[in-house]
Each structure stands twice: as structure tokens, then as C-alpha cells.
Amino acid sequence: REVASLGGGVCVTTEAAAYMAGKVVICAGAWTGGLLGGAWAERLELYRQSLHWFQPADPAAFAPDRFPAFIWMYGAGMGDWFYGFPVDPDRGGVKLAGEQFAAMSSDAEVWERSSDREEALACHARHVVGRLDGAPADWLRSAACVYTCAPDSRFIIAPDPVRENVIVVSACSGHGFKQSPAIGEAVAEWALSGRRPEILSAFSIG
């Protein structure tokens, strides 16, 4: 609910209780702007993403040992690409999706959390048809998530400009999962030593 510098440390207030710590690392994703306000609310944009699973006529052709995860950039436009994953061994279906960059509400609680067949087929028609040989077209299910993005699509890993002893890790801009182990290690070093690793110097809130 609230993060505040207090008495040389940081007080984190939740619905359950208030907690004190010497330093705090905030990794609140889409909720960062609402939690911290100020520059964080101004700089971070939220984009809803939809992703879809389709059943192929020949599942063996899309099995993990034959069909790799991929990103296919087929044009020069910002949205002229899509990605995919092989058949899910547990739930079935080939995962196919593009990316969407229409800003939604800055309130992480207010967005459409479901995605449907109509949205899936529109994605399929735009990106997949005529490109992916044997493209699966039988819709199975869809889901939705949110990207928290910086204006330049990079990360923001920075000290809070208002609260002392608070480090904020946010705005992974849709690609942070690939670097998260290294980011976690560097941020832990920063929090424990008090020295910001050089590897993080490029990711200021400015």
C-alpha cells in the first residue's frame, strides 16, 4: 500500500502490517506507478498483451524436438512480427502471438484480463496465414498479460528519486525475463554493498 523512508530505513505498509528494513528493492511490475507515484507513474506505460494457443492438424510436426521457439520479423513496421512456441506437452496447442502497443489505463487493476477466439483469429490472420507452413488454425485457448514499458523500451533499474534506500526494478518492457538472473544478482549486490554495479548504470529513470 505504501513505501516511505523513515528514520534512516524504509517502512513498507501492507494490508496486513508495517515492516521496517534498512533498504528495500521494489519489483512491482505494472503496479509500480500506482505504488510509488511521481516520476514512476509519469514514465511507465502499460500495454495489454494477448497470446493464443492453436491445435495443429499434425501435432508431431510442432513437437519440441522438431519445432523451435522463434521470433519472425517479416516487415519494417513496429508490429510486423510474431513469435511462437512448440506444442505444450501438458495442455496441448502451439503458442502463437504478436505484441500490442496500445497504452491502457495506468491503473494495473483496470484492464481486460481475458482474451477470446475472435482476438486469436485476428492475430492468426494478420501474422500467421501464408507464412508458417502447416499453420495450426483450430483455436484452443487464449490468455492476456501486461507489459510495463519505459519510453525507450529498455529497463529502469534505479534509486527512487524521492525515497532514500529504495531501489526500483521495473519497466522490463516485455523482454526482462531473459536477463532476470543477471539483473537479480546485480541488484542484490547493489542493495548489500551500497555500490551500484557498472552494469546497471545505463538504466536510470531519466
Side-chain angles (χ1 to χ4, degrees), residues 157-178:
I157 307 171
D160 186 274
V162 176
R163 303 163 184 86
E164 293 183 6
N165 299 313
V166 175
I167 300 169
V168 183
V169 182
S170 190
C172 290
S173 301
H175 56 95
F177 68 94
K178 298 185 292 294

Side-chain angles (χ1 to χ4, degrees), residues 20-102:
M20 287 295 299
K23 294 181 182 178
V24 168
V25 176
I26 301 291
C27 303
W31 288 265
T32 302
L35 177 64
L36 301 178
W40 301 102
E42 294 170 4
R43 304 274 302 162
L44 302 182
E45 291 189 296
L46 305 183
Y47 301 111
R48 176 183 175 275
Q49 304 296 315
S50 59
L51 34 150
H52 317 284
W53 286 262
F54 299 88
Q55 178 63 37
D58 180 11
F62 293 87
D65 61 342
R66 294 185 60 188
F67 184 74
F70 70 90
I71 300 175
W72 188 338
M73 296 182 170
Y74 58 79
M78 186 172 180
D80 292 343
W81 64 278
F82 69 108
Y83 67 90
F85 287 83
V87 169
D88 184 324
D90 297 320
R91 300 186 64 195
V94 177
K95 179 180 176 181
L96 297 170
E99 286 192 330
Q100 301 86 53
F101 293 96

Side-chain angles (χ1 to χ4, degrees), residues 65-155:
D65 61 342
R66 294 185 60 188
F67 184 74
F70 70 90
I71 300 175
W72 188 338
M73 296 182 170
Y74 58 79
M78 186 172 180
D80 292 343
W81 64 278
F82 69 108
Y83 67 90
F85 287 83
V87 169
D88 184 324
D90 297 320
R91 300 186 64 195
V94 177
K95 179 180 176 181
L96 297 170
E99 286 192 330
Q100 301 86 53
F101 293 96
M104 56 179 248
S105 168
S106 60
D107 184 352
E109 295 296 329
V110 183
W111 60 283
E112 178 54 57
R113 283 168 160 76
S114 62
S115 183
D116 58 19
R117 181 177 184 273
E118 182 178 350
E119 196 170 12
L121 294 182
C123 172
H124 191 277
R126 176 182 178 186
H127 298 297
V128 182
V129 173
R131 295 192 176 92
L132 188 60
D133 190 27
D138 292 335
W139 176 72
L140 290 177
R141 62 188 181 278
S142 294
C145 65
V146 172
Y147 282 176
T148 309
C149 293
D152 57 4
S153 294
R154 298 172 75 179
F155 306 145

